[in-house]
């Protein structure tokens, strides 16, 4: 059974940093693509970044490139999202999602992913 467990969310002041973790189990990590999404209150879920488990290649939502960095530790079956220079508008529930296969060129939309974590809350105060 595929399981994804996010952690690392919390309350942080604007300008601060957080590192989110997505611990994966139940599948061969290198066979999957994993993405981070977020959903702010009253808004639709949006993609942030994605990574190929096979080769570690990464892709980003253009507007978040530079502040957010996705990485993985295949030995720990964990994907990370380092978030720097956080802004109040980054307040959201952050989710990781996984799907068998590879990504090329751009992060797939959320309907590509069959497996989702429960989310972790991030609140950025001004």
């Amino acid at each position: 059974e595929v399981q994804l467990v996010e952690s690392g969310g919390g309350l942080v002041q604007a300008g601060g940093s957080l590192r989110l973790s997505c611990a994966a189990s139940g599948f061969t990590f290198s066979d999957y693509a994993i993405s981070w999404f977020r959903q702010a209150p009253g808004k639709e879920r949006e993609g942030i970044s994605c990574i190929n488990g096979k080769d570690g290649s990464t892709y980003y939502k253009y507007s978040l490139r530079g502040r957010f960095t996705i990485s993985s530790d295949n030995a720990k079956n964990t994907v990370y999202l380092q978030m720097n220079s956080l802004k109040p508008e980054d307040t959201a529930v952050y989710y990781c999602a996984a799907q068998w296969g590879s990504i090329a060129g751009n992060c797939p939309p959320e309907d590509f992913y069959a497996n989702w974590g429960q989310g972790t809350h991030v609140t950025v105060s001004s």
Side-chain angles (χ1 to χ4, degrees), residues 6-74:
E6 302 96 333
S7 62
L11 174 64
V12 63
Q13 288 189 332
S17 298
L18 282 175
R19 189 178 79 157
L20 307 183
S21 299
C22 172
S25 62
F27 61 95
T28 302
F29 196 77
S30 59
D31 290 340
Y32 275 64
I34 298 178
S35 278
W36 283 100
F37 290 82
R38 69 182 181 182
Q39 188 166 20
K43 295 188 177 181
E44 292 186 352
R45 189 153 52 187
E46 65 170 343
I48 299 170
S49 182
C50 54
I51 187 167
N52 274 315
K54 183 176 183 179
D55 62 8
S57 54
T58 59
Y59 305 89
Y60 292 89
K61 179 181 176 72
Y62 181 80
S63 62
L64 298 175
R65 186 188 298 269
R67 291 197 300 123
F68 289 16
T69 303
I70 192 171
S71 63
S72 67
D73 184 335
N74 285 28

Side-chain angles (χ1 to χ4, degrees), residues 53-117:
K54 183 176 183 179
D55 62 8
S57 54
T58 59
Y59 305 89
Y60 292 89
K61 179 181 176 72
Y62 181 80
S63 62
L64 298 175
R65 186 188 298 269
R67 291 197 300 123
F68 289 16
T69 303
I70 192 171
S71 63
S72 67
D73 184 335
N74 285 28
K76 295 183 177 180
N77 284 5
T78 300
V79 174
Y80 303 99
L81 185 68
Q82 178 67 42
M83 307 187 295
N84 298 327
S85 302
L86 284 163
K87 306 174 182 180
E89 51 264 43
D90 294 319
T91 295
V93 179
Y94 285 71
Y95 300 90
C96 63
Q99 181 59 40
W100 185 90
S102 297
I103 298 166
N106 206 356
C107 292
E110 60 179 286
D111 59 9
F112 172 80
Y113 296 95
N115 307 288
W116 292 81

